[in-house]
């Protein structure tokens, strides 16, 4: 809705008597000025648009700006516009007044509080006047409502979506079934019914939120349980693997000692090697020479090996220190 667009004034009138009157047949004081949505007049003019709640609030803001510090008049048959002739004059008595600060919008449209004059209340109660007709400005290009100028009582409605303001007991909406279904008294008013519906919606939203939270909590607990079980299984597998590796390393080194390729004193060193580098250690021990006679735990002295050159005490110590077979050492020395 562009403020710079040229605006035209269009007359629109209320229609179908949908709103229940107040107790005692008195005319309603909270009136609907415009319905939400597309507004098509019965005489073919339009369509005009009150698109959504934000649009309705902009219309209210512009209406208040144009009204300034004065109340908005409700006249008879729009006499303030069509009865008063420039240069001639004419009467346009007020049927009531709308305070600009009473304008409000909801999903159904724009509403206001009317303070009726005594004459208007009597005329409405006698059904001499029955409908309310808003006079509004609209954007000629888009058809969007810009502001509400005033309103007038009429008997020739043009907007069928608006609600009647005159006493009309025989056409009063029967809300008793709705009230009873909501747990209210049978004669509960519309405002009380709407408040109960709003509370029910809020309660349903809260219940839905609680159900979602419970489902999320259950899913989270199930996931945490599955993660804990998976961690326990991984830890068990790791423990089994460590045990297997420990046993495999021990067998590898103990078999090498039994074969005379390692001395018992070397077990701790080669066990650490077998754990950290199992493949390299296994490959080395597979080709390592025998340095001990089977079943012996000490190095074989050179004199016990036929055809070998005798070793001195120092040479025998070197052979023992390096894990060499004394016989092989002696043979290499003799060569």
């Amino acid at each position: 809705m562009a403020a710079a667009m040229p605006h035209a004034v269009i007359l629109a009138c209320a229609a179908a008597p949908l709103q229940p009157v107040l107790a005692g047949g008195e005319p309603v004081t909270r009136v609907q000025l415009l319905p939400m949505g597309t507004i098509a007049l019965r005489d073919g003019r339009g369509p005009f648009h009150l698109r959504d709640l934000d649009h309705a609030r902009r219309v209210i803001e512009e209406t208040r700006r144009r009204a300034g510090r004065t109340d908005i008049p409700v006249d008879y048959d729009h006499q303030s516009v069509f009865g008063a002739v420039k240069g001639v004059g004419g009467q346009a008595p007020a049927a009531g007044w709308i305070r600009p600060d009473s304008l409000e919008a909801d999903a159904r449209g724009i509403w206001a509080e009317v303070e009726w004059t005594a004459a208007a209340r009597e005329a409405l109660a006698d059904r001499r006047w029955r409908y309310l007709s808003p006079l509004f400005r609209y954007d000629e290009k888009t058809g969007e409502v810009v502001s509400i100028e005033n309103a007038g009582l009429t008997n020739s409605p043009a907007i069928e979506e608006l609600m009647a303001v005159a006493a009309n007991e025989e056409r009063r909406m029967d809300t008793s079934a709705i009230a009873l279904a909501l747990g209210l008294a049978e004669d509960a008013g519309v405002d009380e019914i709407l408040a109960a519906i709003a509370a029910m919606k809020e309660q349903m939203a809260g219940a839905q939120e609680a159900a979602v939270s419970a489902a999320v909590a259950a899913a989270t607990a199930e996931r945490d349980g599955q993660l804990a079980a998976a961690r326990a299984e991984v830890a068990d597998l790791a423990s089994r693997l460590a045990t297997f590796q420990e046993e495999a390393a021990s067998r590898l080194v103990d078999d090498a000692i039994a074969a005379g390729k390692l001395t018992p004193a070397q077990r701790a060193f080669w066990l650490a090697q077998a754990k950290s580098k199992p493949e390299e250690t296994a490959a080395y021990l597979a080709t390592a020479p025998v340095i001990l006679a089977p079943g012996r735990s000490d190095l074989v002295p050179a004199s016990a090996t036929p055809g070998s050159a005798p070793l001195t005490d120092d040479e025998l110590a070197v052979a023992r220190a390096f894990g060499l077979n004394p016989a092989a050492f002696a043979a290499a020395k003799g060569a």
Side-chain angles (χ1 to χ4, degrees):
M1 180 174 63
M5 286 287 182
H7 297 150
V9 177
I10 187 71
L11 179 63
C13 302
L18 303 177
Q19 178 174 321
V21 298
L22 299 182
E26 291 293 326
V28 297
T29 56
R30 184 174 186 267
V31 298
Q32 186 182 28
L33 295 179
L34 284 173
M36 191 69 75
T38 299
I39 305 168
L41 306 189
R42 293 194 299 176
D43 60 9
R45 286 174 294 167
F48 310 104
H49 307 288
L50 188 64
R51 298 197 180 280
D52 51 33
L53 198 56
D54 287 339
H55 181 193
R57 288 167 178 162
R58 293 196 300 271
V59 171
I60 290 175
E61 183 179 355
E62 178 63 13
T63 300
R64 288 172 176 168
R65 187 192 69 78
R66 292 180 63 85
R69 304 172 74 178
T70 63
D71 289 345
I72 300 171
V74 179
D75 60 19
Y76 297 92
D77 267 337
H78 298 287
Q79 291 176 3
S80 59
V81 176
F82 301 107
V85 181
K86 185 176 181 180
V88 178
Q91 293 186 348
W97 297 93
I98 297 173
R99 297 191 322 274
D101 61 2
S102 75
L103 292 168
E104 61 180 2
D106 62 18
R108 295 174 294 171
I110 295 178
W111 301 75
E113 291 289 335
V114 178
E115 182 181 352
W116 300 108
T117 65
R121 296 181 72 88
E122 181 181 354
L124 289 169
D126 289 344
R127 299 177 65 188
R128 295 195 296 272
W129 299 92
R130 293 190 61 191
Y131 304 103
L132 189 67
S133 166
L135 189 71
F136 60 88
R137 294 182 180 273
Y138 70 95
D139 189 304
E140 289 180 314
K141 183 175 180 181
T142 65
E144 292 186 346
V145 178
V146 175
S147 64
I148 299 172
E149 295 299 300
N150 57 39
L153 289 176
T154 182
N155 289 326
S156 300
I159 304 177
E160 294 187 348
E161 291 84 357
L162 290 181
M163 298 180 176
V165 295
N168 190 16
E169 290 292 345
E170 68 273 15
R171 288 193 173 185
R172 180 173 181 174
M173 180 186 292
D174 184 6
T175 59
S176 59
I178 299 175
L180 291 174
L182 292 171
L184 302 174
E186 186 175 0
D187 59 350
V190 173
D191 291 340
E192 189 177 359
I193 290 174
L194 292 176
I197 292 174
M200 180 181 295
K201 290 173 63 178
E202 184 176 355
Q203 184 179 5
M204 292 175 63
Q208 183 177 12
E209 183 178 354
V212 171
S213 298
V216 170
T220 301
E222 182 179 1
R223 181 204 62 189
D224 292 344
Q226 292 173 345
L227 287 175
R231 291 192 185 101
E233 185 175 354
V234 170
D236 181 62
L237 290 175
S239 176
R240 293 184 183 182
L241 179 60
T243 300
F244 174 79
Q245 291 174 336
E246 177 79 24
E247 293 175 350
S250 297
R251 284 195 302 270
L252 179 64
V253 173
D254 291 341
D255 288 348
I257 293 174
K261 295 182 177 183
L262 297 175
T263 66
Q266 295 175 304
R267 187 179 190 280
F269 172 80
W270 284 103
L271 184 59
Q273 293 296 312
K275 291 179 181 178
S276 61
K277 301 176 182 179
E279 294 182 359
E280 292 89 335
T281 302
Y284 170 76
L285 292 178
T287 60
V290 176
I291 61 173
L292 292 176
R296 297 283 297 274
S297 61
D298 57 339
L299 294 175
V300 180
S303 57
T305 304
S308 61
L311 296 177
T312 65
D313 291 339
D314 290 338
E315 290 171 336
L316 186 59
V318 169
R320 288 175 176 171
F322 285 92
L324 299 177
N325 188 327
F329 188 22
K333 174 184 174 185

